[in-house]
């Protein structure tokens, strides 16, 4: 049954020529706008849209939060492409029948699935980052670079750098790194996804023994045990120089990475990938799991936001998810303005990451006159307003579609709050399982999910944020505590002092901005 759209800006006004966003099917990247040209609906979906009766557009108990449930406006429908697609390419079923055991990109829902995850950076800088990967003989299946060393978090990073300023951090960095990092050179952070952790560390210990602390002398077995049994399953080697560039790299097993992305077991790596990163080596299974992660972050943010909000508020809510339970944020070990800095200086990248996903959900749309401009997506100063439908059925479906481990924790929170008897609660949990022995169930919310979704807004926000904190706090704390063991005391102390310096600089900057704002107010008076 088709759904009635929100009373908002139609897709035909948001994207010219009827181009319609869904979990990305772009044909090519258009540099002028910074947004992907979007895959268009198939002839079969057009026919279904045209044949729908007016009654089919009523919101019903069967309203879903699937990727294809937002209907086309008539203008965009008429302009849609009639190119046939296979059933596996349909956006209507990829979440319902997700197969996390794929090994080839051809097994993804469609050929360009998840390209929104790939950020565009300077080609020479990208090549310099890839050259760092080639310095490791141990096989790296998936890799991304992230953090302020790749994506500036303050305007100061954008000023041109010099070799002398870079040498204060990097031993002999390539010119592309010097130019990209500008006047504030920083260590570059990487995550390496590997198939067999112990085998990888065995090879890497033989090639790069100096990257490891004294723990490395105990062999790859001890290193792997600490990696996989403590914290979030990541082993970091910080402050090592590779190809003349100072880097920190974390090693994680691909199974651990995909599980966190799809189920939010720790949100440690999932949280990092909810923000713009530069993927240097891709993997089909990780790309699929990360698309689940991104749309889950969007749904979670919608549960935390009011009916009307701006893009900037949405992206800040998403960026803040991974910091809610981070012990560094409650200690003088991180810039208190970190989230605002990340979003403010990487707004186009957040839009590239999430704008296509916004268009796939039936209960949220852009609702801003600025969206009538043909090139509004290319303007980083525009923070378009959005509206979400607060219908209990749709919001209940969002709750039902949250990642499995995270959703289970949220259910337990509400079991206590609603004082639901254990036997009754066990039956509800059984009914909400994503799959049984014969099939994958269509994930629609029931009475319990709708009851959660209709909780008082301040109560729902408190419960969801509380579950996020519980999910993140323990693994993040354990990762911090194992730092001296994996990195060594000297490198760990250097890391702490660097973070404390960022905290002081952030507070000083915030105080200066507050003083400036007060002065401007007095001048107005």
């Amino acid at each position: 049954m088709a759904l009635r759209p929100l009373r908002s800006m139609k897709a035909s006004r948001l994207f010219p020529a009827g181009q319609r966003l869904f979990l990305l099917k772009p044909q090519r990247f258009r540099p002028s706008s910074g947004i992907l040209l979007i895959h268009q609906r198939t002839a079969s979906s057009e026919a279904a849209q045209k044949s729908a009766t007016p009654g089919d557009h009523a919101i019903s108990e069967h309203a879903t939060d699937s990727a294809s449930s937002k209907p086309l406006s008539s203008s965009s429908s008429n302009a849609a492409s009639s190119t046939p697609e296979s059933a596996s390419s349909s956006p209507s079923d990829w979440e319902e029948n997700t197969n996390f055991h794929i090994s080839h990109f051809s097994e993804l829902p469609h050929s360009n699935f998840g390209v929104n995850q790939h950020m565009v950076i300077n080609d020479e800088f990208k090549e310099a980052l890839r050259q760092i990967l080639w310095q490791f003989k141990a096989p790296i299946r998936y890799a991304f670079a992230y953090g302020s060393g790749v994506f500036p978090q303050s305007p100061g990073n954008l000023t041109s750098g010099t070799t002398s300023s870079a040498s204060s951090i990097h031993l002999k960095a390539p010119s592309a790194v010097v130019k990209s990092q500008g006047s504030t050179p920083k260590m570059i952070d990487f995550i390496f996804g590997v198939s067999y952790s112990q085998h990888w560390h065995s090879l890497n210990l033989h090639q790069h023994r100096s990257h490891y602390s004294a723990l490395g002398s105990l062999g790859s077995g001890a290193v792997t045990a600490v990696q996989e049994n403590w914290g979030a399953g990541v082993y970091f080697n910080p402050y090592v120089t590779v190809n003349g560039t100072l880097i920190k790299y974390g090693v994680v097993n691909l199974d651990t990475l995909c599980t966190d992305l799809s189920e939010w077991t720790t949100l440690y790596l999932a949280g990092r990938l909810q923000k713009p990163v530069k993927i240097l080596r891709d993997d089909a299974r990780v790309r699929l799991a990360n698309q689940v992660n991104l749309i889950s972050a969007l749904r979670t943010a919608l549960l935390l936001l009011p009916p009307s909000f701006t893009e900037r508020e949405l992206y800040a809510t998403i960026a803040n998810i991974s910091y809610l339970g981070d012990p560094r944020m409650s200690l003088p070990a991180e810039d208190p303005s970190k989230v605002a800095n990340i979003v403010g200086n990487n707004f186009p990248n957040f839009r590239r990451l999430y704008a296509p996903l916004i268009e796939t959900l039936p209960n949220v749309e852009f609702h801003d006159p600025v969206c009538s401009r043909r090139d509004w997506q290319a303007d980083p100063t525009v923070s378009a307003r959005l509206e979400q439908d607060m219908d209990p059925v749709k919001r209940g479906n969002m709750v039902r579609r949250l990642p499995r481990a995270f959703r289970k924790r949220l259910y337990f929170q509400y079991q206590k709050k609603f004082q639901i008897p254990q036997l009754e609660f066990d039956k509800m949990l059984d009914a909400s399982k994503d799959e049984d022995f014969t099939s994958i169930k269509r994930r629609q919310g029931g009475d319990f999910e709708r009851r959660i979704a209709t909780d008082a807004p301040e109560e729902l926000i408190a419960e969801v944020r509380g579950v996020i904190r519980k999910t993140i706090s323990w693994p993040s704390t354990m990762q911090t505590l194992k730092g001296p063991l994996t990195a060594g005391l000297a490198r760990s102390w250097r890391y702490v002092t660097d973070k404390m310096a960022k905290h002081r600089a952030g507070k000083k900057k915030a105080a200066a901005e507050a003083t400036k704002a007060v002065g401007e107010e007095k001048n107005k008076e």
Side-chain angles (χ1 to χ4, degrees), residues 435-511:
E435 57 186 49
D436 55 28
F437 291 109
T438 60
S439 65
I440 296 177
K441 299 179 181 179
R442 189 166 180 79
R443 297 188 292 167
Q444 296 190 19
D447 292 337
F448 182 51
E449 286 83 5
R450 287 193 287 272
R451 191 177 175 188
I452 293 174
T454 55
D455 194 11
E458 62 276 7
E459 295 291 326
L460 177 60
I461 291 171
E463 294 293 348
V464 172
R465 288 169 66 92
V467 172
I468 293 172
R469 287 191 182 93
K470 289 180 179 178
T471 301
I472 295 172
S473 59
W474 179 248
S476 184
T477 300
M478 290 303 296
Q479 280 289 149
T480 302
L481 291 177
K482 78 178 184 183
L485 182 62
T486 58
L489 292 176
R491 289 173 181 169
S492 295
W493 178 248
R494 182 179 177 183
Y495 181 80
V496 170
T497 54
D498 283 352
K499 289 295 183 182
M500 291 177 70
K502 286 184 179 181
H503 176 80
R504 290 191 298 269
K507 289 191 70 174
K508 185 178 180 180
K509 179 182 175 183

Side-chain angles (χ1 to χ4, degrees), residues 17-35:
Q19 291 161 350
R20 187 63 169 163
L21 289 164
F22 83 80
L23 274 151
L24 274 169
K25 186 71 174 177
Q27 301 304 314
R28 63 188 184 275
F29 179 71
R30 184 173 62 205
S32 61
S33 68
I35 293 293

Side-chain angles (χ1 to χ4, degrees), residues 270-471:
R272 279 164 171 74
L273 282 159
Q274 287 163 8
K275 296 178 280 291
V277 304
K278 181 54 192 175
I279 298 171
L280 301 168
R281 286 187 190 170
D282 208 350
D283 177 86
R285 186 160 61 111
V286 179
R287 186 189 291 190
L288 177 61
N290 193 33
Q291 201 74 338
V292 172
N293 173 46
L294 294 174
I295 201 166
S296 297
L298 180 56
R299 289 181 174 126
T300 302
L302 291 176
L303 291 173
L304 297 170
L305 288 165
S308 180
F309 50 90
T310 65
E311 272 188 289
R312 194 171 298 276
E313 290 170 335
L314 172 64
Y315 303 150
T317 301
I318 292 173
N320 192 48
I321 288 175
S322 62
Y323 293 112
L324 280 175
D326 192 331
R328 296 174 302 174
M329 300 305 289
S330 57
L331 297 170
E334 193 56 88
D335 184 350
S337 303
K338 189 176 183 70
V339 172
N341 293 339
I342 291 173
V343 175
N345 292 283
N346 293 279
F347 194 82
N349 288 329
F350 274 95
R351 181 177 282 165
R352 177 182 174 89
L353 199 56
Y354 288 104
L357 302 183
I358 291 170
E359 280 297 306
T360 69
L361 297 183
N363 57 325
V364 60
E365 286 191 329
F366 290 98
H367 186 83
D368 196 313
V370 74
C371 297
S372 61
R373 283 172 33 194
R374 189 177 184 87
D375 63 343
W376 72 271
Q377 309 100 322
D379 188 348
T381 65
V382 170
S383 178
R385 183 156 291 277
L386 298 95
E387 285 190 356
Q388 63 169 317
D389 191 340
M390 306 301 281
D391 175 74
V393 174
K394 291 183 178 180
R395 286 177 72 77
N397 290 338
M398 283 206 305
V399 172
R400 179 66 185 84
R401 287 168 179 260
L402 293 175
R404 183 186 304 175
F406 182 81
R407 184 181 71 236
K408 189 175 181 180
R409 293 188 184 99
L410 184 64
Y411 285 175
F412 277 120
Q413 284 294 107
Y414 272 95
Q415 179 203 13
K416 292 186 290 185
K417 180 174 181 177
F418 295 154
Q419 298 183 340
I420 300 173
Q422 189 63 44
L423 185 60
E424 181 182 346
F425 183 69
D426 289 341
K427 289 181 180 179
M428 286 193 301
L429 282 183
D430 187 62
S432 70
K433 287 181 179 177
D434 291 339
E435 57 186 49
D436 55 28
F437 291 109
T438 60
S439 65
I440 296 177
K441 299 179 181 179
R442 189 166 180 79
R443 297 188 292 167
Q444 296 190 19
D447 292 337
F448 182 51
E449 286 83 5
R450 287 193 287 272
R451 191 177 175 188
I452 293 174
T454 55
D455 194 11
E458 62 276 7
E459 295 291 326
L460 177 60
I461 291 171
E463 294 293 348
V464 172
R465 288 169 66 92
V467 172
I468 293 172
R469 287 191 182 93
K470 289 180 179 178
T471 301

